[in-house]
Amino acid sequence: MAASIASSPMSLPVGDRRPSLTLFQGQRPPTGHRRFFSAKAAPNMSSQRRPRRSCHVVASVATTDRPAPLAGDVDRGSQPAETSGRSDDDGQLPARWREIQGSDHWEGLLDPIDAVLRGELIRYGEFAQACYDSFDYDRFSPYCGSCRFPAKTFFQDAGLGGAGYEVSRYLYATCNDLKLHNFGGRKHRSAAGDKLWSEMGTFIGYVAVSTDEETARLGRRDIVVSWRGTVTRLEWVADLTANQKRLSEMGVPCPDPDVKVEMGFAELYTGKDAACRFCRYSAREQALAEVRKQVELYHGRGEQVSVTVTGHSLGSALTMLNAFDIAETGANASPDHGRKAPVCVFSFAGPRVGNLRFRERFERELGVRALRVVNVHDGVPKVPGVFFNEAAFPEAVLRAVDGLGAGGVYTHLGVPLALDHKVSPFLKETMDISCYHNLEAHLHLLDGFRGSGEGFQLRGRDPALVNKSADFLRDEHMVPPVWYQAENKGMVRTEDGRWVLPPRHRDIDEHPDDTDHHLQQLGLTAST
């Protein structure tokens, strides 16, 4: 679907290349624990409802001539890492959570941006970023392709200890038809010689549920499904497989045969590998079973429940498919309790996924809400459908072309919030277009955006985070590029003086025993 910028994506493992070489690679996979303090959120200046304006806004403003502030001059606050991952909402969320989740399609909340919505967008963006920060893509590690952290301490280990969520399930994905190796053909084995990981399957996200304390703050029990973007070779194959196919032919039940999606995205979402204990269920089956399980549990307790799906880049495409699927199969509903949880998508830097009928069923018939955060200079949201898309032709033309059976008709769905990295005085001019796509850069732009013509003013998020996996900050800020990594690249010194990669003293998380049960409740039968 998309080509790499300067070299073939199959030439080297992503971890061996600079971020500038890829289009869909949002972050260079880091290998260390998060060692920074999240800035304390500024006081809420937007507690009053704003006049309603069009929600289709490009957040582009003229930069001023004042000198750029230095990262060290920004008040980073005193909020420790263990309280990060929580938005400053001044207690408004219990009364406003449906509105923030898009019940009114974010009408009047985007320009100027509502402070509560901005905090929630950054919070969910950090959940997507945690997928990158926790991913082990060290080709020398026997655990390569896995999550580096155990589920019980995931948010604490990822630097989001105050998030108020607990991971209930990790998600693994594969795209196995071509029998290509993710890891250059190496067999990753434990010290005992047992193969730990399939060459085709990798950790790609997680399902998490808000704790009782966080649920009280949010006003409902929130179930989050978070997906990461492209890192491995097989995920690149999914990106580049731009052929369009009926969704009903990809294993996703849809009564409308005219609903079509990008085949590579759908194959990654629905693919499985019977030889891999982590991918014997598809990512689709894993996510649906867990969402169904949690929705049933908390509806059974009489609680209000929401399902929020978030992701970046390729992960954004997976969020659209997953949110569609959750609503289509009724994984968000509890028939015995007569309840249905609203489904909302917060996506970042996402490509187009499907045709007009995909959008219409998603938005109008299934009632899923989606807010897409993009950088206007990023090329990824402009593909696929380079020629036949919503920006190039009226809907009537796209419908006619699609009706003729011509592939390649794509349209974005949901409500866009388009930002412009050129308004930030912290970011430099660069030809490295992967910087435009970087997730931390998007979160930085959200933090400083107030509204069209209102200038750029940080609310407290540390600008140094932009350079975690990029070289995007101006040099005078004195923040090294691609600084996020493990001390000594994870090597430790043993008692006899040797340097080794230490084993992980924990059990490998596998699929819950009740997966088939919850799939059967949805009318699905998993072939395991």
Side-chain angles (χ1 to χ4, degrees), residues 96-249:
R96 296 187 59 199
W97 72 265
R98 292 185 182 275
E99 177 190 28
I100 297 301
Q101 295 281 112
S103 62
D104 295 326
H105 302 277
W106 297 282
E107 184 73 21
L109 300 182
L110 298 183
D111 191 17
I113 192 165
D114 181 88
V116 177
L117 175 60
R118 171 177 38 218
E120 288 294 274
L121 284 171
I122 292 174
R123 187 169 71 91
Y124 285 110
E126 288 182 335
F127 288 168
Q129 177 66 41
C131 292
Y132 290 113
D133 293 349
S134 63
F135 186 61
D136 186 344
Y137 201 62
D138 180 357
R139 65 191 181 93
F140 296 104
S141 168
Y143 304 94
C144 186
S146 71
C147 179
R148 294 187 296 114
F149 309 137
K152 291 181 180 179
T153 59
F154 176 84
F155 288 107
Q156 184 71 39
D157 293 339
L160 298 175
Y165 284 71
E166 294 177 348
V167 170
S168 63
R169 183 170 189 158
Y170 284 152
L171 303 175
Y172 303 92
T174 188
C175 187
N176 198 22
D177 289 345
L178 298 180
K179 304 297 181 183
L180 296 174
H181 294 287
N182 265 326
F183 312 112
R186 285 179 55 90
K187 296 295 182 182
H188 300 281
R189 301 178 183 273
S190 68
D194 298 327
K195 183 177 178 184
L196 294 177
W197 299 102
S198 166
E199 292 294 333
M200 287 76 175
T202 56
F203 164 77
I204 202 166
Y206 59 87
V207 180
V209 183
S210 58
T211 62
D212 291 344
E213 178 186 2
E214 184 71 357
T215 295
R217 189 185 75 86
L218 297 174
R220 85 283 185 187
R221 185 75 62 172
D222 189 35
I223 300 167
V224 171
V225 188
S226 182
W227 302 87
R228 66 164 172 80
T230 307
V231 176
T232 72
R233 295 166 181 250
L234 291 178
E235 291 154 13
W236 265 101
V237 172
D239 292 340
L240 297 168
T241 307
N243 296 335
Q244 210 171 57
K245 197 168 183 178
R246 288 185 174 90
L247 188 59
S248 58
E249 297 176 359

Side-chain angles (χ1 to χ4, degrees), residues 283-299:
R284 171 183 185 252
E285 291 167 342
Q286 298 165 47
L288 288 180
E290 189 62 27
V291 169
R292 179 70 177 86
K293 174 182 179 179
Q294 300 299 332
V295 167
E296 184 180 51
L297 171 63
Y298 291 107
H299 274 170

Side-chain angles (χ1 to χ4, degrees), residues 43-97:
N44 185 345
M45 303 299 291
S46 306
S47 59
Q48 302 299 319
R49 292 296 305 275
R50 304 177 183 279
R52 293 194 176 274
R53 301 186 187 180
S54 170
C55 53
H56 295 272
V57 53
V58 174
S60 179
V61 299
T63 55
T64 64
D65 293 330
R66 63 180 174 83
L70 298 181
D73 295 334
V74 176
D75 180 12
R76 302 189 188 188
S78 58
Q79 184 179 15
E82 45 277 358
T83 61
S84 62
R86 179 170 294 187
S87 59
D88 184 8
D89 60 272
D90 283 355
Q92 297 183 49
L93 274 173
R96 296 187 59 199
W97 72 265

Side-chain angles (χ1 to χ4, degrees), residues 367-383:
V368 181
R369 301 291 186 258
L371 180 58
R372 299 183 297 104
V373 180
V374 299
N375 177 0
V376 295
H377 303 286
D378 181 14
V380 171
K382 298 177 175 62
V383 294

